[in-house]
Amino acid sequence: MKILLIGSNGQLGKALIKSKPQDFELILSNKNLLNLENKKSISSFIKEINPDWILNCGAYTNVEKAEKEKELAFKINAEAPKAISEILLETNGKLLHISTDFVFDGNRTSPYPTHHSRNPLNAYGYTKCKGEEFIEEILSDKHKAVILRTSWLMGPYGNNFALKMLSLLQNKNELKVVADQKGCPTSTRTLANACWRILTVKEKELFSKADAVPILHWSDEGYATWYDVAITISEISRELGLIETPAKIIPVDSQAYPSTTKRPSYSLLNCLSTRELLQLKGENWRSTLKKDLESLIIN
C-alpha cells in the first residue's frame, strides 16, 4: 500500500514515520516539497504519486497567530483539504485528515460525540471546521475520506506543551499554568497507532454509512487541566532524573493570560466508537506522557 504523508516534519508526522508498518510504502512530503497554499502544487504532486492513502497531518496550528494570519491559516487548513478532496475524485486514493477538538465551543459538560455540531470559537478552529466541511461536501458519498479529530497533542518530537513545559521547569523558578480549561492530552505515539489501524479497517466497516464521511475521535484516556499536565510533567521528569529541582507551578485561571483568542474551556472527546471500530484500547494520558518522557532518555 502506497501512503503519502503530508506534514512529515511535524510531531505527528515523525511519530507516523517511526511506527510505520513494514508492508506500507511511505512517501514523505513537507512544506519544502509540497506547497499547501497552492492548489496547482497540490494537484500535480498527488497525481504524480497517485497514493492509495493520503495522511494529511499538514496544518497551520499556531492558535494565537491564526487570528492575525487568517488568510494563510484558511489556505492551509481549509482550502488545501478542499483541493486534496477534489483531486481524489479523479484518483483511486483515499484521505485520512487530522482535525481538532477546537471545532467545538466547549459548552458541554460531557465528552463530545463525533456527530456533535461544530461551533468553533477562534480563527484556527474555524479554518479546521471549514476543512472538515469541504471534505464532507466533496467526498460525502465516495468512500474516499475519513476525518480523525484529536486533542492536546504532545510527544517527544517537535513543538508541543510537554517539551515547552520541560524546558520551563528547568529554567524558571516559578510558573503560572491555566487550571480552568479541561481536555485530554494525546500522545503522538497512540495517535499514530490509531492512524495506521484506520488504514487497515475493512472498507465496509469503515464506511458503514453510505452517504457520510466517517468522523472518528482519538485521545488518550482520562481528563486533565493544563495545570494537571504541568504538575505531572514535573513529577515524572524529577522521577526520571530529567530535572533535579523543577520550578514551582501555580494554578491560575485563563484571565491571568489576557488574549483575544478564545479557547474552549471543555474539549473532551468521546472516543468509545473509535476504539471499538479500531479494536484499540485507550491508555491513560499519565502513562503515555511518562513513556514519551522516558523516550527522551533513550534517544
Side-chain angles (χ1 to χ4, degrees):
M1 188 183 295
K2 185 189 296 184
I3 314 298
L4 170 60
L5 174 58
I6 297 176
S8 61
N9 282 343
Q11 58 172 334
L12 177 57
K14 291 177 180 178
L16 284 162
I17 294 169
K18 186 173 182 179
S19 60
K20 180 191 76 71
Q22 290 186 348
D23 54 345
F24 286 178
E25 176 189 357
L26 188 60
I27 299 171
L28 307 183
S29 170
N30 54 50
K31 60 184 179 181
N32 294 323
L33 298 172
L34 174 60
N35 183 3
L36 291 178
E37 301 172 47
N38 187 301
K39 183 177 180 179
K40 289 184 178 179
S41 172
I42 296 170
S43 177
S44 59
F45 194 86
I46 292 175
K47 287 181 179 178
E48 180 180 352
I49 295 171
N50 193 26
D52 298 296
W53 277 92
I54 297 171
L55 293 181
N56 183 28
C57 306
Y60 185 111
T61 58
N62 191 313
V63 178
E64 293 286 340
K65 286 183 68 176
E67 299 296 327
K68 299 177 181 179
E69 299 182 346
K70 293 180 181 178
E71 184 177 344
L72 176 59
F74 192 84
K75 284 183 178 180
I76 296 172
N77 291 344
E79 291 183 356
K82 180 181 180 181
I84 293 170
S85 299
E86 290 172 343
I87 296 159
L88 289 178
L89 291 174
E90 305 175 32
T91 71
N92 294 320
K94 297 180 179 66
L95 168 66
L96 174 53
H97 177 74
I98 306 301
S99 194
T100 173
D101 56 328
F102 271 45
V103 300
F104 299 125
D105 56 21
N107 290 334
R108 282 179 65 90
T109 55
S110 59
Y112 279 90
T114 58
H115 61 270
H116 196 278
S117 58
R118 307 172 182 98
N119 188 30
L121 297 179
N122 53 47
Y124 166 70
Y126 172 76
T127 60
K128 293 295 289 185
C129 172
K130 292 302 295 183
E132 290 188 9
E133 291 176 349
F134 284 141
I135 292 169
E136 289 180 324
E137 289 170 7
I138 298 167
L139 299 175
S140 61
D141 60 349
K142 306 299 182 184
H143 292 186
K144 281 179 169 284
V146 178
I147 294 168
L148 178 61
R149 297 187 185 123
T150 191
S151 65
W152 294 22
L153 192 61
M154 56 188 75
Y157 315 107
N159 183 20
N160 60 65
F161 181 84
L163 297 184
K164 286 181 181 178
M165 188 54 56
L166 192 61
S167 176
L168 290 171
L169 286 166
Q170 288 175 313
N171 298 300
K172 299 286 185 179
N173 294 321
E174 183 178 284
L175 297 174
K176 294 180 180 179
V177 181
V178 171
D180 60 354
Q181 294 175 10
K182 184 178 288 186
C184 186
T186 304
S187 169
T188 52
R189 175 181 55 82
T190 65
L191 181 60
N193 289 340
C195 289
W196 291 125
R197 186 66 68 93
I198 289 169
L199 271 56
T200 63
V201 173
K202 293 179 181 179
E203 186 166 318
K204 65 179 181 180
E205 296 176 3
L206 189 59
F207 300 103
S208 58
K209 296 182 179 179
D211 60 346
V213 170
I215 297 178
L216 308 179
H217 284 173
W218 185 270
S219 63
D220 291 335
E221 288 283 348
Y223 62 89
T225 66
W226 291 113
Y227 171 76
D228 295 329
V229 180
I231 287 292
T232 303
I233 292 170
S234 177
E235 292 172 348
I236 294 173
S237 61
R238 186 164 47 188
E239 175 188 336
L240 296 176
L242 291 169
I243 302 175
E244 185 175 340
T245 308
K248 180 181 179 181
I249 304 173
I250 301 172
V252 297
D253 60 30
S254 301
Q255 295 180 352
Y257 293 98
S259 173
T260 57
T261 306
K262 293 182 179 180
R263 286 173 165 80
S265 60
Y266 183 97
S267 61
L268 283 173
L269 300 175
N270 188 323
C271 304
L272 294 177
S273 60
T274 302
R275 300 201 201 290
E276 183 178 352
L277 173 68
L278 303 183
Q279 297 183 348
L280 283 176
K281 292 183 178 180
E283 294 183 58
N284 186 272
W285 67 267
R286 296 176 189 272
S287 172
T288 61
L289 182 56
K290 184 174 183 178
K291 290 177 182 177
D292 287 339
L293 292 176
E294 285 175 336
S295 72
L296 296 177
I297 301 173
I298 297 172
N299 294 332

